[in-house]
Amino acid sequence: MKQLLAFIHKEFLHVFRDPKTMLLLFGLPIAQILLFGFALSNEINHSKIIVVDYARDASTRSIIEKVRASENFDLYGVFNDHQQIEETFKRGETKMAIVFPTNFNQDLIHSGYAEIQLITDASDPNTATTLVNYFNMLLLDYQRELIEVQEMPFNINLSLRNIYNPELEGTTNFVPGVMALVLLLVCVLMTSVAIVKEKELGTMEILLVSPFHPFMVIISKVIPYLFLSIVNLIVILALSVFVLKLEIAGSLILLFGVSILLILAALSLGILISNVTNNQQTAMLISLMGMLLPTLMFTGFMFPIENMPRFLQVISNIVPSRWYYIIVKNVMIKGLGFESIWKESLILAGMTVFLLLVSIKKFKIRLA
Amino acid sequence: MGDLKMISTHDLNKTFGDFVAVNNITFDVHQGEIFGFLGANGAGKTTAMRMLCGLSIPTSGEATIAGYDVYKETEKIKRNIGYMSQKFSLYEDLTVTENIRFYGGIYGLKDAEIRSRSKELIQTLELEDQRDLLVGSLPLGWKQKLAFSVAIFHHPKLVFLDEPTGGVDPVTRRQFWDLIHKASDDGITIFVTTHYMDEAEYCDRISMMVDGYIRALDSPSQLKKTYQAASMDEVFYELARGAKRTE
């Protein structure tokens, strides 16, 4: 026990002495949360949009005028047919298209009911929602003006079509995503580098010659990072609650429970990586390539998994953060209890146990 | 020199695939001896040493360290040996005191013991003013001396030194050997590999490894007599020139 404490003490010294580690450990989550947080709340100005006007009447003209006058939008072009929409979207020249059907004015005047179609590029869901909201306000404004002149209630119905991301996920969902990303990254990277560093420096030999059991070496590497990751988690949650005003709807204990599951899975992965390489650069590269990319791709907070090709959807199942993301979203945002996440938790727990067993088994007790 | 055998090997072998790194070596090291383990690069010294430390399992043969079997009693062996590797093996981002405390800690020494021994150690090495400096900021020679002192900090019966003086200037090497002799006087058996033939002269007995075999084993003066050589350099050259393996 005393040996273990001496070792853990040493690990903490390593962490606190290295500014780079400290920066990665605590700078990364804070930067991520703030970055995502403020990107989210920032208003969007001068976003290029296009209009397809089949009606070309008084009403559409005044709405287009309003769009033109708005600070939020820059009118990129007014077209006559649908063909143009796809083209401009593909070239990335616009974020939203407004389509007025023929007889817009007539419908509005005679039946008091007309439709406008909005098409948004929802690959960036935050921008898409914001733009739709802006346009909605603009329309309400227009309707109010109309009512002032005429008695009849007018109702313009917005038919919304979000292309690329029909569910429009991503408003508050990035916090669980960042949690998954940061925990995985920090744990995998830190542990693999911490163990490989000992090999590279030659201190691992000394440890293996000492009566300190190799298994204990793993334990003493894992405990400090487990602890630091939990601190990290608290920082992320505190930032979300106090800076981003995101309420934690569900049980905090449940949230920490599943997070520790993910942390353990990540730590085991780190140990595994440290077994296949002997230098820090490679360990770092494997951790980054092996973790960052799959996590970004397959967790679901950046790119919705539902829209991926079947093949990639299957692959996404082996990424632990995918399950963690679902759990955290359910617990933290929707406020659901354990009965709604037991399946995902079981999968995550299974992965953790598997990785833990493999990494302990693979850990080389002797050098050759 | 006691009669107790600190190291005893019989036909010890290590093969990696078809490659025989260590070929049936048989030798004894007695308690209190300074035993030089010499050989050219790639002769199999490090592999042999690793088997003796329990870092590597022998392919075949027998060996006991301090009376304990290398196959079955590695835990007991570990408690009784110290090891200083070729690579500098202290933590550069920890201070002198922190390094000492860490190694004392993993060998399970008591706090009071660690305190008194490290005070003594720092005095011996004249590191009083540097005790709270990061080890990374010390000159190489001091680091090596410190690494050696840390390797014997838990008072092992036997210490393995793998090319401990590589890259160090002659004066520091001399001081380093003073430390070795002092440890030897304290009853610690020394097993040392080296490239420097002048260092071989400081050993009580030396063995010479060539291509995985032990070619010669005797005291330096006896070896010089046998090979009719003026210095250990010549002995080494005489033995090693037939070597087929080089790194």
Side-chain angles (χ1 to χ4, degrees):
Chain A
M1 193 59 202
K2 210 186 143 286
Q3 290 163 286
L4 190 68
L5 286 179
F7 205 115
I8 292 173
H9 174 73
K10 181 211 76 151
E11 283 307 308
F12 275 115
L13 287 178
H14 284 319
V15 173
F16 294 135
R17 288 253 161 94
D18 184 18
K20 273 179 282 180
T21 311
M22 287 297 278
L23 195 69
L24 186 66
L25 208 54
F26 294 106
L28 185 76
I30 295 173
Q32 290 262 25
I33 286 284
L34 294 183
L35 225 86
F36 276 98
F38 287 105
L40 186 80
S41 60
N42 264 358
E43 60 179 313
I44 299 156
N45 284 326
H46 302 293
S47 186
K48 283 180 183 160
I49 63 163
I50 59 166
V51 170
V52 177
D53 188 359
Y54 289 116
R56 297 198 170 266
D57 52 38
S59 299
T60 62
R61 258 198 301 281
S62 22
I63 295 174
I64 291 170
E65 254 339 287
K66 277 192 167 297
V67 169
R68 213 191 288 276
S70 161
E71 280 285 305
N72 303 121
F73 302 119
D74 265 358
L75 199 54
Y76 184 69
V78 181
F79 303 105
N80 290 328
D81 70 302
H82 248 87
Q83 224 70 53
Q84 298 288 342
I85 302 175
E86 185 102 30
E87 290 298 308
T88 28
F89 267 116
K90 273 190 184 155
R91 286 199 301 268
E93 282 163 353
T94 187
K95 290 284 173 205
M96 185 170 76
I98 305 168
V99 185
F100 295 102
T102 46
N103 304 328
F104 180 81
N105 195 32
Q106 268 178 318
D107 286 352
L108 190 64
I109 303 293
H110 295 129
S111 63
Y113 179 88
E115 279 200 11
I116 297 176
Q117 187 185 32
L118 285 188
I119 300 168
T120 64
D121 174 359
S123 59
D124 181 353
N126 299 338
T127 313
T129 341
T130 316
L131 289 179
V132 169
N133 286 339
Y134 287 155
F135 189 71
N136 230 333
M137 287 198 295
L138 194 140
L139 262 190
L140 283 174
D141 204 35
Y142 176 67
Q143 280 164 279
R144 215 177 301 124
E145 283 171 28
L146 275 187
I147 293 166
E148 278 168 22
V149 219
Q150 282 166 312
E151 288 291 299
M152 204 166 154
F154 293 102
N155 191 0
I156 302 175
N157 191 31
L158 266 184
S159 123
L160 185 61
R161 200 179 131 218
N162 294 312
I163 55 175
Y164 306 133
N165 178 6
E167 287 85 13
L168 207 73
E169 283 189 3
T171 36
T172 47
N173 292 349
F174 75 92
V175 173
V178 170
M179 279 164 64
L181 188 69
V182 168
L183 290 182
L184 266 177
L185 211 63
V186 167
C187 297
V188 176
L189 194 69
M190 296 285 165
T191 33
S192 65
V193 168
I195 295 175
V196 170
K197 203 167 157 189
E198 303 255 7
K199 287 206 225 173
E200 206 178 86
L201 293 177
T203 43
M204 190 58 103
E205 282 183 34
I206 307 290
L207 295 178
L208 294 181
V209 171
S210 82
F212 196 58
H213 198 277
F215 178 68
M216 297 300 266
V217 175
I218 301 187
I219 299 288
S220 17
K221 288 280 175 189
V222 164
I223 289 176
Y225 290 108
L226 179 66
F227 174 79
L228 289 169
S229 302
I230 292 173
V231 172
N232 235 326
L233 187 67
I234 295 171
V235 171
I236 296 177
L237 289 178
L239 277 175
S240 319
V241 172
F242 297 112
V243 180
L244 303 178
K245 312 285 178 215
L246 182 80
E247 266 179 67
I248 297 170
S251 155
L252 210 56
I253 296 166
L254 197 57
L255 199 58
F256 273 95
V258 291
S259 299
I260 288 169
L261 264 187
L262 181 82
I263 292 170
L264 286 175
L267 292 173
S268 324
L269 258 172
I271 298 167
L272 260 182
I273 291 173
S274 73
N275 279 326
V276 297
T277 171
N278 283 320
N279 79 63
Q280 293 184 59
Q281 258 89 30
T282 321
M284 214 178 283
L285 212 68
I286 298 176
S287 305
L288 283 177
M289 298 297 281
M291 293 318 305
L292 188 61
L293 251 103
T295 308
L296 278 176
M297 295 271 297
F298 296 122
T299 300
F301 81 107
M302 284 265 190
F303 314 104
I305 292 164
E306 293 85 344
N307 293 3
M308 286 180 186
R310 188 98 201 107
F311 165 68
L312 290 181
Q313 290 193 26
V314 172
I315 289 186
S316 76
N317 287 331
I318 60 163
V319 178
S321 59
R322 193 207 149 157
W323 304 105
Y324 176 72
Y325 178 64
I326 298 174
I327 298 170
V328 173
K329 232 166 47 177
N330 282 344
V331 173
M332 197 167 144
I333 293 167
K334 299 185 188 154
L336 302 175
F338 186 68
E339 63 283 354
S340 69
I341 55 155
W342 68 269
K343 239 188 284 173
E344 286 83 2
S345 305
L346 207 64
I347 295 172
L348 193 62
M351 285 178 169
T352 307
V353 170
F354 174 75
L355 287 171
L356 212 60
L357 286 179
V358 173
S359 64
I360 288 172
K361 200 160 161 40
K362 283 265 168 184
F363 187 78
K364 292 189 186 76
I365 289 173
R366 293 165 197 255
L367 288 174
Chain B
M1 223 177 278
D3 287 306
L4 207 85
K5 287 169 184 167
M6 238 341 135
I7 301 176
S8 176
T9 74
H10 187 76
D11 286 345
L12 198 64
N13 248 306
K14 180 78 185 184
T15 54
F16 299 100
D18 293 336
F19 178 72
V20 186
V22 174
N23 209 330
N24 289 330
I25 59 172
T26 301
F27 70 97
D28 293 333
V29 176
H30 304 283
Q31 190 175 27
E33 238 185 338
I34 299 178
F35 189 85
F37 200 59
L38 275 57
N41 285 336
K45 282 174 302 179
T46 304
T47 310
M49 193 174 206
R50 286 192 165 176
M51 284 193 281
L52 302 177
C53 298
L55 284 174
S56 163
I57 310 170
T59 312
S60 65
E62 291 156 28
T64 57
I65 306 297
Y68 300 115
D69 187 79
V70 288
Y71 295 99
K72 294 177 214 139
E73 297 172 299
T74 46
E75 287 313 307
K76 283 182 185 149
I77 291 177
K78 285 175 174 182
R79 285 187 192 287
N80 288 292
I81 62 169
Y83 176 67
M84 178 179 167
S85 79
Q86 222 164 3
K87 280 188 201 165
F88 173 69
S89 49
L90 296 178
Y91 297 96
E92 306 227 342
D93 55 343
L94 302 188
T95 67
V96 174
T97 328
E98 283 162 353
N99 265 296
I100 297 171
R101 201 184 305 147
F102 170 66
Y103 282 108
I106 62 166
Y107 275 92
L109 298 186
K110 292 190 184 70
D111 281 337
E113 260 176 325
I114 294 178
R115 260 197 303 277
S116 69
R117 284 191 199 180
S118 60
K119 200 174 157 197
E120 192 188 330
L121 187 160
I122 284 168
Q123 260 167 18
T124 317
L125 295 182
E126 295 170 5
L127 282 171
E128 282 95 342
D129 296 335
Q130 284 81 20
R131 59 192 304 161
D132 291 322
L133 288 185
L134 296 188
V135 164
S137 65
L138 299 178
L140 182 65
W142 289 21
K143 287 186 197 170
Q144 301 289 71
K145 282 188 273 179
L146 182 61
F148 173 72
S149 308
V150 166
I152 57 166
F153 190 71
H154 58 290
H155 295 177
K157 288 185 184 156
L158 165 68
V159 63
F160 290 93
L161 310 172
D162 194 1
E163 288 176 22
T165 54
V168 177
D169 65 79
V171 177
T172 317
R173 262 170 54 202
R174 207 38 211 264
Q175 294 171 343
F176 194 92
W177 274 88
D178 287 343
L179 283 178
I180 293 179
H181 281 293
K182 187 177 169 294
S184 175
D185 292 343
D186 291 342
I188 298 175
T189 308
I190 315 277
F191 183 94
V192 56
T193 74
T194 180
H195 274 314
Y196 301 105
M197 287 308 130
D198 58 324
E199 290 186 352
E201 307 264 7
Y202 301 140
C203 299
D204 295 325
R205 281 194 310 151
I206 57 171
S207 76
M208 191 78 80
M209 255 188 118
V210 180
D211 290 350
Y213 296 93
I214 289 185
R215 275 297 170 76
L217 199 166
D218 218 325
S219 66
S221 54
Q222 200 58 44
L223 278 174
K224 278 186 280 189
K225 226 180 268 173
T226 312
Y227 290 90
Q228 295 176 341
S231 67
M232 280 309 297
D233 255 337
E234 283 177 37
V235 176
F236 182 80
Y237 183 71
E238 191 64 36
L239 283 162
R241 67 176 174 181
K244 289 175 188 70
R245 295 197 325 224
T246 44
E247 245 173 2

